Amino acid sequence: MMSVTAASTWIALGPALILAATALVVFLADAFDPQGENNALIAGVSLVGTLAAFGVAAEYLFSGVGVDEPLSLLQGQLVVDGMSLFFTLIITSVTSLVIVASYDYLKGQPHKGEFYSLVVLAATGMVLMAHSNSLATVFVSLELASLSSYALVAFLKRNKGSVEAGMKYFLIGALSSAIFVYGISLVYVSTGALQLGLVAEQVGEVENVGILGVGILMIVGGVAFKTASVPFHFWAPEAYEGAPAPISAFISSASKAAGFVVAFRVFVEGFPVDVVLALGVDWVLAFQIIAVVTMLLGNFAAAVQENVKRMLAYSSVGHAGYAMIGLAALTNPGPYNDFVLAAAMAHLFVYGFMNTGAFLFVSLAEHWGIGRTFEDFNGLAKRAPVLSVAVAIFMFSLAGLPIGGGFFSKLFLFYGAVLAGYWWLAAVGVIASAVSLYYYSRLVRAIWIEEPAEDDLTLPDQPLGLYAAIVTAAVFTVLLIPGIFVVIETAQAAAGALF
């Protein structure tokens, strides 16, 4: 343990290093045998490496490495603390489920090695985003995750929808990166620092508040893109619909969590609420507006979709609005700030399982070729009852009913907003959740109540990997009902270190 807690050692970055090494091994294994049918080998190596990173992060988090006293590396550019390890667990758990599900999805597809190495490489970038303690390392790790994600969305090179989605995702991502890095440059011009602690020290002494304010606003825009929040949400439905379904699960869960950990750390540590409010720069108000509009637009747009994948895409936008409450309900002074932020972290943890499971269900439907509209799923419970139970768990938990951890994560999130004095944020969240119950129930109704259009009740095959990933996600979604208090306590300990 002493070797880990020493700030000079790289062992503390074990999860990120394991992921990077895994991506390299997978790439080399595929390079030596590019035409070989080695799907099981490279999927197995990817899964073992990702689970190893998950295990090391869990060991560090629950043994207290960096939790009480953050570990600093590269002269403060990277940090290992409770928050970085908590989000590493989210990212690696989602990545593991996606790798398991992809084993069946990629059968018959070329370039499997590139697919798995890009998934693990993107996860490496997301984990580094969680460790980033400087605006420079935030940008570099964000680009590592983003560039890999662009290629994964366009992975189906002979599929027009996949290529088109990848191109749109890349172009909008490049624009948002330009906005984000320009915002960073303006903050650097104002404060002379990139490391978050130094930015916080200098931000109160800034002479030209206007330049700093524009810089902070542009960073808000970059965060809004990465989390698929309004007004930079419009890429999400296109990218999620065109991408391979496992990748839709990956970028809508793991990538979203990585965007939020950057937002939490950068704004809480780099731009303290009391200091920037005294300057007249109210980033909390900006996040309140974004949270409200994102919750309402995401859920009402999802309610009018006929395509299940697009419905899930817009509902993912709505959940970004819920998680945004973690920043929108911060106050100065803020006795409940750590609770509100912890509730948002807990919601992202639960969301990682239930949303990934929902998208993997769509992946299985694509594998069977049963279509994407609600009507295409009519009567599916008669053909796949276990899968249909899992889907009901995902849908009702996403809506906030007490059948999965989503109920308690939303409850704590809204309760935290009320404690902080922002009851209207909680009210908007409840209204948005009520709307979501309509369209989530619509899918459950189609599967369990509606009669199938055809009498043929047979499905082509039972892909073991996809089934295992979906059932595992459903089991964890349910287990997080009794386990939510452990998640909240762990998240609160991690969030408390930022204030």
Side-chain angles (χ1 to χ4, degrees), residues 39-41 43 98-107 112 116 465:
N39 189 19
L41 173 64
V98 168
I99 289 172
V100 172
S102 299
Y103 174 75
D104 295 307
Y105 192 88
L106 290 179
K107 283 181 177 177
K112 299 180 183 66
Y116 288 112

Side-chain angles (χ1 to χ4, degrees), residues 279-363:
L279 296 174
V281 180
D282 194 349
W283 58 257
V284 174
L285 177 62
F287 281 116
Q288 287 171 352
I289 296 171
I290 292 174
V292 169
V293 178
T294 303
M295 281 189 284
L296 294 177
L297 188 147
N299 283 288
F300 277 103
V304 298
Q305 300 301 315
E306 292 297 327
N307 183 308
V308 173
K309 205 172 180 182
R310 287 185 70 86
M311 178 273 285
L312 290 176
Y314 276 108
S315 82
S316 175
V317 173
H319 279 273
Y322 301 138
M324 199 67 80
I325 291 177
L327 288 171
L330 296 184
T331 58
N332 174 45
Y336 302 106
N337 282 351
D338 59 340
F339 182 83
V340 172
L341 197 57
M345 292 167 61
H347 185 67
L348 288 167
F349 188 89
V350 179
Y351 176 78
F353 289 102
M354 54 190 182
N355 182 69
T356 301
F359 269 106
L360 292 184
F361 156 70
V362 175
S363 175

Side-chain angles (χ1 to χ4, degrees), residues 121-199:
L121 205 57
T124 307
M126 294 171 193
V127 169
L128 287 175
M129 288 168 69
H131 287 297
S132 294
N133 192 42
S134 160
L135 293 173
T137 49
V138 164
F139 181 73
V140 172
S141 55
L142 188 149
E143 288 304 296
L144 174 60
S146 297
L147 291 172
S148 304
S149 299
Y150 302 149
L152 286 168
V153 169
F155 181 76
L156 304 175
K157 292 190 292 185
R158 296 182 180 178
N159 184 307
K160 182 181 177 183
S162 177
V163 174
E164 185 176 332
M167 181 59 70
K168 288 180 180 177
Y169 189 25
F170 170 72
L171 292 175
I172 299 171
L175 175 63
S176 74
S177 293
I179 293 173
F180 190 70
V181 75
Y182 196 67
I184 290 175
S185 68
L186 293 180
V187 171
Y188 181 73
V189 166
S190 304
T191 63
L194 289 174
Q195 191 175 320
L196 298 179
L198 298 177
V199 171

Side-chain angles (χ1 to χ4, degrees), residues 9 90 105 189 209 241 246 250 287 349:
T9 181
I90 298 176
Y105 192 88
V189 166
V209 178
E241 184 179 11
F250 184 58
F287 281 116
F349 188 89

